[in-house]
Amino acid sequence: MSSTTRDKQGLLAGLPSVDELLKTAACVTLLTEHPRSLVLQAVRDALAQARTEILGGRRETIDAEALFAEIALRTAHAASYSLRPLINATGIVLHTNLGRAVFSDRAVRNMVAVASGYSNLEYDLEEGRRGKRHVHLKSILRRITGAEDALVVNNNAAAVFLCLNTFAKGREVIVSRGELVEIGGSFRVPDVMAASGAILREVGTTNKTHLHDYSRVLHEQTGLLLKVHQSNYRIVGFTQDVTIEELAALGKQQGIPVMYDLGSGSLFDMREYGIFTEPTVQEIVRAGIDLITFSGDKLLGGPQGGIILGRKDLIDALQKNPMARAFRIDKLTIAAFEATLSSYLDPDRAKQEIPVLNMLLQPVSQIHARARKLFKGLKKRLPDVAMEIKKDVSQAGGGSIPETSWETYVIAMHHANIAVNDLESRLRFGTPSVIARIKNDMLLLDARTIADREIQIVINSLAAACSS
Ligand SMILES: *Cc1c(COP(=O)(O)O)cnc(C)c1O
């Protein structure tokens, strides 16, 4: 017993000091790449770990190589950013947890250009004096949608809040019971309404609401007639819904603004692809709705933002609400929006340039081709792992188009020695992380959301995951 204690004391005494370690070639190299504070902390932590292991009898030699490896690993871990890119192999194109819309190259280039120097964010170049940041997106939104005026705020939740707060604070907002939805991530229509100071007036039933349900409760305290897109769920069967034209006409007749929270909102007509059978934003504008709100980072495929389209007098009133300042978007968002929207001036270009549209509308044969490429590469690197190409379905996500499942192709694999949950987490811990699905005890990699340039990275990541 006492000899073991003496061995431990000897080992502890043999450990290098912090200063000695910092002077070694390995640490000097680390110091050229990383902040001194991070390297210093890594050295201290690695030494503390070594001491604990020696005292616990789990380390019987001082292995300098292992110590340096530990220091390098700890430094790299501490130096890595918290928010980082990853590979989405789930097939869900608008995955809210994975950053929703991937930006177009055009949007990224414009963001970099605007961020790298000064800009006319709030400067009127013609007049040579102070201007307004809201002007940059107004004309392109008007041109694309046909709306009279437009305003973009931080997200759609903020857009809805701002409208309710401006037009219905202390007044009633009439909503169908079938539309009092929760969108996930804590956006609940009744809660947003309460926070805005508007008073909720529910009409109709969950499955049926008629026009007379609205008209019956209208009075001088009515601030808004609100329609909310059901987004992530559908009521099917014995149902009745008031059309947007009927609601718009009622509002006009009574002099009460009609608002539609469209949620996802598509500027691109997907009906010819047989997948999204709802009217486009442009059609809803033509139907005569006074205020329309929708997200920038759902089907539109741009940055996070809440787009508000509508009558000029109403948009003016929104801009005068002090809360508009709290919800204003920054220059990077404006830059990304303007570039993304410019692709929509030509629908074919939008389909080609905007990754969200591209991933949703690509022919399934194209996904199949990518799956085959992935399969070939994987099979070569991992000849002993059981895998096959399978037909499957992916979802749009982001509360968009919940009833549509999109035919896709996946690589389904099963490792004889690594449990599927373990394999999934090894991929998640990799650099970069790869997020996969698990189904029927198989690991699924959906080729819909894996970009061509990511195929080789996925192959490398899987090879690493299977060897670690
Ligand atoms: C997604 C959604 C929202 C919230 O939009 P964000 O841009 O995420 O704030 C609000 N309403 C509806 C109907 C939605 O689908």
Side-chain angles (χ1 to χ4, degrees):
M1 273 313 247
S2 69
S3 79
T4 325
T5 309
R6 210 174 310 130
D7 289 347
K8 286 179 183 173
Q9 291 305 332
L11 277 172
L12 286 176
L15 277 175
S17 72
V18 170
D19 284 335
E20 283 165 351
L21 275 173
L22 284 173
K23 285 186 192 123
T24 58
C27 283
V28 169
T29 309
L30 277 179
L31 282 166
T32 61
E33 289 163 13
H34 300 289
R36 186 180 166 81
S37 61
L38 294 188
V39 181
L40 183 62
Q41 191 63 49
V43 166
R44 285 186 177 140
D45 291 346
L47 280 173
Q49 184 186 329
R51 268 184 227 110
T52 312
E53 286 177 9
I54 290 169
L55 289 171
R58 281 172 282 124
R59 189 187 277 242
E60 275 145 18
T61 57
I62 295 170
D63 179 349
E65 289 282 315
L67 198 57
F68 288 134
E70 182 65 31
I71 292 167
L73 194 72
R74 283 176 180 272
T75 305
H77 187 75
S80 71
Y81 289 132
S82 170
L83 175 64
R84 47 187 186 242
L86 54 73
I87 292 175
N88 173 9
T90 67
I92 300 170
V93 174
L94 293 167
H95 200 308
T96 299
N97 303 143
L98 304 185
R100 278 204 195 153
V102 174
F103 289 12
S104 69
D105 287 343
R106 189 184 286 279
V108 171
R109 281 198 305 271
N110 201 32
M111 277 174 79
V112 171
V114 167
S116 309
Y118 295 99
S119 62
N120 62 335
L121 178 64
E122 291 186 354
Y123 189 74
D124 186 328
L125 286 171
E126 274 173 38
E127 303 289 333
R129 58 182 156 89
R130 189 183 169 172
K132 289 205 166 85
R133 77 174 57 210
H134 293 312
V135 301
H136 301 293
L137 298 175
K138 278 183 191 291
S139 64
I140 190 153
L141 277 168
R142 279 200 303 253
R143 182 177 304 174
I144 293 169
T145 66
E148 210 175 283
D149 202 359
L151 175 68
V152 183
V153 293
N154 229 325
N155 50 38
N156 190 32
V160 172
F161 181 96
L162 187 63
C163 292
L164 293 173
N165 183 259
T166 306
F167 302 112
K169 190 173 175 196
R171 308 182 72 187
E172 282 188 1
V173 177
I174 305 174
V175 193
S176 159
R177 287 198 169 85
E179 298 171 3
L180 294 173
V181 295
E182 170 174 327
I183 315 289
S186 76
F187 181 93
R188 282 181 160 192
V189 174
D191 295 348
V192 174
M193 192 133 1
S196 74
I199 302 156
L200 173 62
R201 185 71 194 258
E202 303 171 34
V203 295
T205 61
T206 305
N207 59 330
K208 283 203 171 210
T209 303
H210 305 273
L211 192 64
H212 59 77
D213 289 325
Y214 289 91
S215 51
R216 206 161 39 206
V217 298
L218 285 178
H219 56 84
E220 65 273 15
Q221 277 314 302
T222 308
L224 274 176
L225 292 173
L226 175 65
K227 187 168 178 63
V228 182
H229 194 280
Q230 291 167 339
S231 292
N232 47 10
Y233 88 116
R234 289 288 178 268
I235 299 170
V236 294
F238 186 59
T239 63
Q240 167 88 39
D241 208 6
V242 174
T243 67
I244 49 177
E245 287 82 5
E246 288 172 322
L247 211 55
L250 178 65
K252 266 195 189 70
Q253 185 202 338
Q254 301 289 328
I256 297 167
V258 178
M259 168 176 164
Y260 191 0
D261 171 12
L262 197 48
S264 207
S266 180
L267 295 174
F268 186 91
D269 194 347
M270 299 188 187
R271 273 168 295 202
E272 63 172 289
Y273 299 86
I275 34 190
F276 186 66
T277 51
E278 292 181 35
T280 58
V281 170
Q282 294 88 323
E283 287 166 310
I284 292 161
V285 169
R286 280 202 292 279
I289 298 284
D290 302 298
L291 282 169
I292 300 166
T293 74
F294 60 104
S295 296
D297 52 351
K298 289 186 182 170
L299 285 176
L300 189 145
Q304 179 190 304
I307 298 176
I308 310 172
L309 305 174
R311 261 164 47 193
K312 180 157 188 334
D313 60 322
L314 301 180
I315 298 286
D316 281 346
L318 289 174
Q319 273 169 223
K320 290 198 184 99
N321 186 332
M323 289 304 289
R325 174 67 164 76
F327 295 147
R328 77 177 188 184
I329 50 175
D330 75 319
K331 61 186 177 185
L332 296 185
T333 304
I334 295 173
F337 260 125
E338 194 174 7
T340 305
L341 289 167
S342 77
S343 297
Y344 279 98
L345 293 170
D346 177 353
D348 282 336
R349 191 151 147 177
K351 193 183 128 194
Q352 233 164 40
E353 293 184 347
I354 296 176
V356 167
L357 294 182
N358 199 280
M359 283 188 263
L360 287 174
L361 302 177
Q362 65 191 316
V364 73
S365 59
Q366 212 170 303
I367 304 176
H368 194 195
R370 217 159 44 242
R372 278 199 306 267
K373 224 161 129 185
L374 184 57
F375 178 83
K376 262 174 75 180
L378 283 170
K379 201 71 209 162
K380 212 156 122 194
R381 287 284 286 278
L382 302 164
D384 300 328
V385 179
M387 61 177 90
E388 60 178 325
I389 303 176
K390 282 180 83 157
K391 233 185 202 171
D392 204 75
V393 286
S394 32
Q395 246 109 51
S400 318
I401 333 179
E403 71 278 29
T404 310
S405 295
W406 316 65
E407 197 177 292
T408 191
Y409 283 93
V410 300
I411 310 296
M413 56 170 44
H414 176 82
H415 196 290
N417 304 321
I418 306 173
V420 68
N421 290 312
D422 192 13
L423 194 55
E424 184 273 340
S425 74
R426 287 185 191 191
L427 280 175
R428 194 154 30 84
F429 281 111
T431 310
S433 297
V434 176
I435 311 297
R437 270 194 286 149
I438 294 176
K439 189 172 159 186
N440 301 333
D441 215 30
M442 301 274 255
L443 185 88
L444 300 192
L445 301 168
D446 192 324
R448 175 182 298 280
T449 46
I450 300 172
D452 282 325
R453 62 183 155 73
E454 291 172 341
I455 290 178
Q456 194 52 50
I457 304 172
V458 173
I459 294 166
N460 295 345
S461 298
L462 255 159
C466 289
S467 71
S468 58

